[in-house]
């Protein structure tokens, strides 16, 4: 199976290790991964700020790079959602967030790694309520959680229950800057929930939420570590 | 003209009191969890939401005919029906009715619509005594405030503060804050107001087309108390409040209280069909911008709202900034998609007072896609030019960069090395809002693309 890897702009620039983990992970499962070199960004930063029209060029670049593939996989729920809702249009390209690609398409059963730490899952809202990677707490129905299902296959991991299992971290793209005070407060509240529950490593399918939480925990010298779920599934350890 | 305070500014001011913020957040989160418990008890919950949404869909797409039939049936019952195109007409109707019946003392149960129309001020300016009889509303009326929440109007006040307000206005003991004691005092105070009132004003939760009657939901029975005692009942209703059949009520009554407070049903769901003999019943059907909203493709189904308040209780931003930070009659997520339709400039920051987390849409009993509408309003706001020029330029440049792979690679590399080379003090200068309370990520030695070129492909 061949897939195109979409690495969101901020991951490409600031968290190459997350891109690498995603690539290696897919390769480990026998997927032929191509990374179109001319890719930039999905245009979400502009669109969510009210300037969808200024994101048109980014969308065009996206389609030029990915339009001919059957599958595109990205290590981000948020960017995947934006592409599906605002970039693809009539195109038949199937875009998947990494976790759902692993559970739904590759049907991964064995991950073959160990991670002996207490881990808290941060449910990124766009992955959760946009892509339905898990059942959100508001909805009534059968429970499911794709990132958690994958992590449950990791040896020695201790998944920790939170007080508020799917409250937003307050990142929200330019919201983090335009509503700085409340964004910071939301992030600190999330960190506190994880730390009160004894979490050693916070993980998520979205690096953008994690960048915000990491920025806060570093500034406040909290010991909690931050890792993208691809890194854990690929066998990395907290540094 | 006074500068309109932005949501971010108001939120920042509220957040200065960290303890109150935590208390406010936890109080509302508690209501949200009660809602969850109640909803989880009904396995058919999602089906109910779907039905509620579909019925309202029907109502909105047939509003013209349904309103005419509703009016006809209501009139046949003996209700006097009046139409108001805006707040001014609505207030004028109320005024004329009061004059006609020589009313002086008015009791009013909760009605967001009359808040929207500014009825209290209008009537008080004309010398009427208007008493809000919902306990929460009475408290904020004493305190000269507007509701900070549509279901729990005084939710921003702590018990102790309510005790102080009662001490000042009702003469309760200083420092007393026992809820039973305070409620008793309010009860006695309101009893007298009920007995002396000549007119009762109520809102309307549901107007039933097939019967020409309407339903008012309260927890305190204050709407009934008012309407049973006064000679004149004036019910004020937004034109979107219709449901086609009595049978549809079952869907909405089951959803409303569970979503609002986690109760299985409101304590009083009072049905009004016709005036008692010798009494008068008026129904004012108010547009006030609703038809216009109905005509806005992306925003029309905001009119499905049954005002349960669940989107406020669940909103992580509302909980940490309080209702007043929205500076609008209806605060919170639903307010942020309704208010821009009333005054785009004044409310231009509200659609941005959200991370688009989508919790509001998932909690909404009538399945309004609130967060998607927030996204759409953002586009409208910037197109109308109600946004800072600096942000517009940043976005335009950002768009250009992302639209050009070579520019993107070049600038990405420059930014990373700039970050590495610049002293910390400069990186975290005052213009860097991100860095006020957060560290920036450490710039890596190479980007993913650079790594990929070296390690995978030519
Ligand atoms: S938008 Fe939905 S959740 Fe919010 S008040 Fe209206 S009905 Fe309730």
């Amino acid at each position: 199976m061949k897939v195109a890897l979409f690495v969101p702009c901020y991951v490409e620039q600031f968290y190459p290790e997350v891109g690498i983990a995603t690539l290696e992970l897919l390769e480990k499962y026998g997927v032929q991964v191509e990374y179109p070199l001319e890719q930039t960004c999905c245009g979400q930063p502009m669109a969510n700020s009210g300037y969808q029209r200024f994101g048109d060029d980014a969308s065009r670049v996206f389609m030029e790079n990915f339009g001919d593939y059957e599958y595109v996989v990205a290590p981000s729920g948020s960017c995947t959602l934006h592409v599906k809702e605002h970039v693809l249009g009539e195109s038949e390209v199937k875009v998947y967030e990494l976790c759902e690609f692993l559970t739904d398409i590759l049907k991964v059963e064995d991950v073959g790694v160990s991670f002996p730490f207490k881990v808290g899952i941060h449910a990124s809202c766009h992955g959760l309520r946009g892509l339905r990677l898990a059942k959100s707490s508001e909805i009534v129905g059968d429970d499911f959680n794709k990132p958690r299902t994958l992590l449950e296959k990791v040896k020695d991991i201790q998944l920790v229950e939170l007080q508020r299992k799917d409250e937003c971290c307050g990142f929200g793209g330019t919201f983090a800057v335009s509503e700085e005070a409340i964004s910071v407060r939301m992030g600190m509240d999330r960190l506190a929930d994880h730390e009160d529950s004894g979490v050693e490593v916070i993980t998520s399918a979205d690096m953008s939420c994690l960048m915000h939480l990491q920025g806060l925990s570093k500034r406040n010298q909290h010991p909690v570590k931050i890792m993208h779920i691809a890194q854990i599934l690929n066998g990395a350890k907290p540094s | 003209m006074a500068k309109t305070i932005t949501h971010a500014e108001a939120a920042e001011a509220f957040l200065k009191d960290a303890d109150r913020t935590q208390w406010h957040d936890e109080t509302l989160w508690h209501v949200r969890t009660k809602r969850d418990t109640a909803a989880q008890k009904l396995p058919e919950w999602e089906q109910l939401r779907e039905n509620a949404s579909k019925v309202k869909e029907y109502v909105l797409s047939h509003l013209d005919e349904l309103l005419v039939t509703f009016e006809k049936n209501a009139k046949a019952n003996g209700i006097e029906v009046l139409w108001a195109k805006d707040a001014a007409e609505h207030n004028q109707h109320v005024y004329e009715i009061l004059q006609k019946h020589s009313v002086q003392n008015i009791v009013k149960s909760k009605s967001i619509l009359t808040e929207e129309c500014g009825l209290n001020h209008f009537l008080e300016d004309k010398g009427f005594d208007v008493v809000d009889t919902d306990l929460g509303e009475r408290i904020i009326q004493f305190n000269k405030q507007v509701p900070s929440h549509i279901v729990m109007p005084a939710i921003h006040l702590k018990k102790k503060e309510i005790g102080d307000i009662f001490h000042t206005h009702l003469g309760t003991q200083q420092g007393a804050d026992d809820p039973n004691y305070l409620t008793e005092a309010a009860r006695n105070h309101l009893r007298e107001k009920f007995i002396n009132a000549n007119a009762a004003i109520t809102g309307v939760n549901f107007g039933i087309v097939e019967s020409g009657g309407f339903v008012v939901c309260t927890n305190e029975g204050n709407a009934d108390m008012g309407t049973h005692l006064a000679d004149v009942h004036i019910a004020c209703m937004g034109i979107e409040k219709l449901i086609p059949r009595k049978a549809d009520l079952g869907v909405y009554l089951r959803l409303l209280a569970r979503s609002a407070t986690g109760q299985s049903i409101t304590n009083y769901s009072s049905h009004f069909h016709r005036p008692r003999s010798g009494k008068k019943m008026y129904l004012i059907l108010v547009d006030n911008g609703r038809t216009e909203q109905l005509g806005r493709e992306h925003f029309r189904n905001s009119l499905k709202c049954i005002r349960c308040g669940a989107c406020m209780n669940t909103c992580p931003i509302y909980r940490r900034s309080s209702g007043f930070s929205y500076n609008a009659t209806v605060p919170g997520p639903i307010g942020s998609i309704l208010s821009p339709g009333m005054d785009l400039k004044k409310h231009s920051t509200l659609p941005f007072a959200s991370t688009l987390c989508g919790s509001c849409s998932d909690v909404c009993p009538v399945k309004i896609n609130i967060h998607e509408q927030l996204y759409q309003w953002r586009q409208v706001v910037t197109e109308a030019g109600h946004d800072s020029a600096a942000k517009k330029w940043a976005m335009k440049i950002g768009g250009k960069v992302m639209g050009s792979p070579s520019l993107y690679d070049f600038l990405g590399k420059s930014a990373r090395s700039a970050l590495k080379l610049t002293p910390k003090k400069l990186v975290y200068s005052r213009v860097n809002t991100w860095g006020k309370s957060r560290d920036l990520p450490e710039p890596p030695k190479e980007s993913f693309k650079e790594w990929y070129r070296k390690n995978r492909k030519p």
Side-chain angles (χ1 to χ4, degrees), chain B residues 150 305-311 334 363-366 368 370:
Chain B
I150 58 174
C305 177
I306 57 171
R307 301 289 191 268
C308 72
C311 56
I334 178 65
V363 91
C364 175
V366 289
I368 301 172
I370 304 174

Side-chain angles (χ1 to χ4, degrees), chain B residues 181-253:
Chain B
Y181 169 69
L182 296 180
T183 314
E184 189 57 31
R187 193 190 301 266
N188 291 332
H189 159 74
L190 287 171
R191 277 281 134 99
E192 197 191 304
K193 299 291 180 188
F194 281 125
I195 289 167
N196 292 325
N198 336 94
I201 298 176
T202 70
V204 170
N205 290 87
F206 305 99
I208 303 162
V209 175
E210 81 176 339
S211 69
F214 57 90
V215 174
V216 181
C217 302
T218 71
N219 267 336
E220 296 163 17
N222 54 316
D224 308 79
M225 198 81 115
T227 54
H228 292 172
L229 289 165
D231 290 339
V232 181
H233 175 185
I234 307 171
C236 308
M237 169 179 163
I239 53 172
E240 83 283 18
K241 289 271 171 268
L242 289 182
I243 55 172
R245 305 164 305 172
K246 284 183 259 183
D248 302 320
L249 253 186
V251 175
Y252 294 98
L253 290 181

Side-chain angles (χ1 to χ4, degrees), chain A residues 40-47 49 51-62, chain B residues 391-405 407-408 411:
Chain A
T40 58
C41 156
C42 62
Q44 178 169 214
M46 282 68 81
S49 308
Y51 294 96
Q52 192 181 321
R53 56 196 183 281
F54 294 161
D56 287 350
D57 289 340
S59 302
R60 181 182 40 76
V61 171
F62 185 92
Chain B
K391 186 173 143 209
K392 182 172 177 182
W393 275 107
M395 288 300 148
K396 199 163 189 166
I397 291 165
K400 284 279 166 261
V401 173
M402 298 309 188
S404 157
L407 197 56
Y408 166 80
L411 286 176

Side-chain angles (χ1 to χ4, degrees), chain A:
Chain A
M1 173 185 271
K2 190 166 96 178
V3 309
L5 176 62
F6 167 45
V7 178
C9 51
Y10 63 94
V11 173
E12 204 264 316
Q13 293 292 329
F14 290 112
Y15 298 101
E17 66 276 17
V18 174
I20 296 167
T22 307
L23 174 74
E24 289 180 350
L25 193 59
L26 289 168
E27 287 175 343
K28 202 162 83 180
Y29 291 112
V31 177
Q32 187 196 336
V33 186
E34 287 185 12
Y35 174 76
L37 285 161
E38 299 281 278
Q39 59 181 285
T40 58
C41 156
C42 62
Q44 178 169 214
M46 282 68 81
N48 281 2
S49 308
Y51 294 96
Q52 192 181 321
R53 56 196 183 281
F54 294 161
D56 287 350
D57 289 340
S59 302
R60 181 182 40 76
V61 171
F62 185 92
M63 290 315 291
E64 283 166 8
N65 277 275
F66 295 101
D68 294 333
Y69 287 95
E70 187 184 356
Y71 289 110
V72 177
V73 176
S76 160
S78 187
C79 302
T80 302
L81 180 70
H82 182 75
V83 167
K84 284 172 101 165
E85 288 190 336
H86 300 288
V87 178
L88 287 186
E90 302 290 289
S91 163
E92 310 237 302
V93 187
K94 298 197 253 310
V95 184
Y96 284 89
E97 177 281 329
L98 176 67
C99 295
E100 57 178 356
F101 187 75
L102 295 176
T103 56
D104 300 1
I105 305 298
L106 297 184
K107 304 202 187 303
V108 164
E109 281 304 332
D110 182 22
V111 297
V113 293
S114 147
F115 196 76
F117 298 95
K118 285 190 178 159
V119 174
I121 304 176
H122 172 67
S124 93
C125 300
H126 291 173
L128 175 72
R129 301 193 189 83
L131 298 175
R132 301 288 173 201
L133 296 185
K135 184 187 83 66
S136 67
S137 56
E138 298 86 5
I139 298 287
V140 175
D142 295 336
D143 215 4
F144 66 95
N145 190 326
K146 294 173 190 180
R148 193 183 177 102
T149 309
L150 289 167
L151 289 172
E152 277 166 354
K153 300 181 198 304
V154 173
K155 257 185 40 206
D156 310 316
I157 198 167
Q158 283 182 63
L159 294 173
V160 168
E161 296 299 332
L162 302 170
Q163 289 294 319
R164 302 187 188 178
K165 66 175 183 145
D166 56 14
E167 175 139 299
C168 177
C169 69
F171 170 66
T174 45
F175 177 89
V177 173
S178 66
E179 290 261 10
E180 195 261 351
I182 208 158
S183 167
V184 165
R185 176 70 197 231
M186 286 166 72
M188 291 307 289
D189 286 353
R190 276 300 70 226
L191 276 180
D193 191 357
H194 284 272
E195 287 166 351
D196 291 350
S197 314
V199 165
E200 293 166 315
V201 178
I202 302 179
T203 192
S204 169
D206 257 298
M207 207 56 220
S208 49
C209 309
L210 292 179
M211 173 170 74
H212 166 64
L213 292 174
Q214 185 180 49
L216 289 167
S217 77
K218 272 197 179 167
R219 176 62 60 89
N220 295 284
Q221 285 153 8
H222 290 192
V224 72
K225 299 277 190 249
I226 308 280
M227 288 173 79
H228 190 274
I229 191 168
Q231 296 173 281
I232 296 182
L233 295 174
N234 195 43
K237 297 287 178 288
S239 53

Side-chain angles (χ1 to χ4, degrees), chain B residues 119-271:
Chain B
L119 181 68
N120 279 20
H121 284 301
F122 172 86
L123 291 178
E124 280 157 10
D125 284 351
K126 297 209 177 305
F128 291 94
D129 182 29
V130 189
V131 175
D132 281 321
T133 58
D134 173 270
L135 182 55
E137 289 216 313
R138 189 62 181 149
I139 294 167
I140 55 165
Q141 197 178 26
F142 283 145
N143 214 27
K144 302 212 176 333
Q145 287 179 309
V146 293
S148 68
H149 187 288
I150 58 174
V151 174
M152 300 166 285
I155 195 73
H156 57 283
L157 293 170
K158 296 187 178 183
K159 232 169 34 179
K160 154 110 193 21
E161 293 165 321
I162 295 170
D164 292 345
I165 295 169
F166 275 34
H167 172 67
T168 308
H169 294 272
L170 297 180
T172 52
Q173 283 161 24
Q174 186 149 25
D177 63 359
D178 172 55
N180 284 332
Y181 169 69
L182 296 180
T183 314
E184 189 57 31
R187 193 190 301 266
N188 291 332
H189 159 74
L190 287 171
R191 277 281 134 99
E192 197 191 304
K193 299 291 180 188
F194 281 125
I195 289 167
N196 292 325
N198 336 94
I201 298 176
T202 70
V204 170
N205 290 87
F206 305 99
I208 303 162
V209 175
E210 81 176 339
S211 69
F214 57 90
V215 174
V216 181
C217 302
T218 71
N219 267 336
E220 296 163 17
N222 54 316
D224 308 79
M225 198 81 115
T227 54
H228 292 172
L229 289 165
D231 290 339
V232 181
H233 175 185
I234 307 171
C236 308
M237 169 179 163
I239 53 172
E240 83 283 18
K241 289 271 171 268
L242 289 182
I243 55 172
R245 305 164 305 172
K246 284 183 259 183
D248 302 320
L249 253 186
V251 175
Y252 294 98
L253 290 181
R254 296 185 78 199
L255 287 167
L256 178 61
R258 285 182 172 89
S259 299
T261 59
Q263 296 162 263
S264 49
I265 193 158
T266 40
N267 292 346
Y268 298 86
S269 305
S270 311
H271 297 242

